[in-house]
Amino acid sequence: MKPPVAPTGWSRWLVPPAALSVHLSIGQAYAWSVFKPPLESALDLSGTQSALPFQLGIVMLGLSAAFGGTLVERNGPRWAMTVALVCFSSGFLLSALGAATEQYWLIVLGYGFVGGIGLGIGYISPVSTLIKWFPDRPGMATGIAIMGFGGGALIASPWSAQMLDSFGTDSDGIALAFLVHGLTYAVFMTLGVLLVRVPRQEVRAQSPDPARAAPAGPQVSAKQAIRTPQFWCLWVVLCMNVTAGIGILEKAAPMITDFFADTSTPVSVSAAAGFVALLSAANMAGRIGWSSTSDLIGRKNVYRLYLGVGALMYLLIALYGDASKPLFVVCALVILSFYGGGFATVPAYLKDLFGTYQVGAIHGRLLTAWSTAGVLGPLIVNRVADSQEEAGKHGSSLYGLSFTIMIGLLVVGFVANELVRPVHARHHVPAPREPADDAAHARDRQQPA
């Protein structure tokens, strides 16, 4: 499938909606918790078992993005969006079959493995194209798309809950909900497949419009990028930032309940659910807000903010969080806005360092940091809380040690960001020579020494 080239006069502002149609769909992954209680009841599963499809999906997201990034660059955004559509929707259809037949392994295979491949390919599918269309504002462009992944759960959570209320929470009701999800997302993602375009090379090379100018600056291949210290510094930066954010996101409701359990104003179940919704909104807002800010103040500066101020927010929660609900909520919202902003800003950071040549493939490889953080963050918070509870502690004391660890990880990320320097010229792809250069070189060879 050849990448569709934009005709003359095509508006670049049609590309972000195409990306959003994919990211809003695959962002459903953050709403998986809606299906956990019904699955546990209908199929007699433990909490660990019901979390497995989501965990496998996040792991496959990182792996498929890493291994499929080069294919995405080679075949273009329409091919990538089509693959994402087929895999993500098929994952729901397999899950529907698994729920209907009460075969849980089919749900794990469908949603976790097959659907997870759709998550990874879909996540990176528009990144390179958006950066090529918006070289003047790459942070804003990628932020618009990646905002959709953070905000997909705000649509999917109430929608999924309403379907389960209508269809029932038994295995047949869950199967029907999965089926509707698969078919609806297939239609919605098709809009992105049909709408996406790549810029014409001749227009980019000849137009004085900076938004369509030929690529300038360093151009580094994905193979060379992973051999540079800059790539691995950014890997550490992303991993630490995501670990800190997901540590709160994964355990948000029980965390705020525990923090104020021993106070005169405990947090109700409904208030805890509202807190989770606020965190999702902060995650989404941070993706467009902070990534757009990075276009103004620079990528390194905005990551100094994410990591440095993020560590301060964790410190304030650890020291004073149980004394003030507003302080706890505000600090958590800031941390989650940095979590979302980190995802949306990193493609533009990669473009600044490695150019647009294979930025989608490089981004895919970098997302293995997300897979690592997706395991590391919840493991730290849950393991420490369990050990503290076994030691007889309760309330906010369950999280003091894990928050200290998070502060340390953010400091590590801050140092890694400071170590980022421009990529050495030996890693650059050689620029193609102009015909005049070739003619001059031929004349030099013909002249006597």
Side-chain angles (χ1 to χ4, degrees), residues 378-402:
L379 181 65
I380 291 172
V381 174
N382 288 293
R383 183 66 61 86
V384 170
D386 290 343
S387 64
Q388 295 298 305
E389 189 173 14
E390 291 172 1
K393 296 184 179 182
H394 53 85
S396 61
S397 299
L398 297 174
Y399 302 98
L401 177 58
S402 61

Side-chain angles (χ1 to χ4, degrees), residues 12 135 173 175 204 297 317 345 373:
R12 62 177 181 164
R204 292 170 58 201
I297 68 173
I317 292 177
T345 309

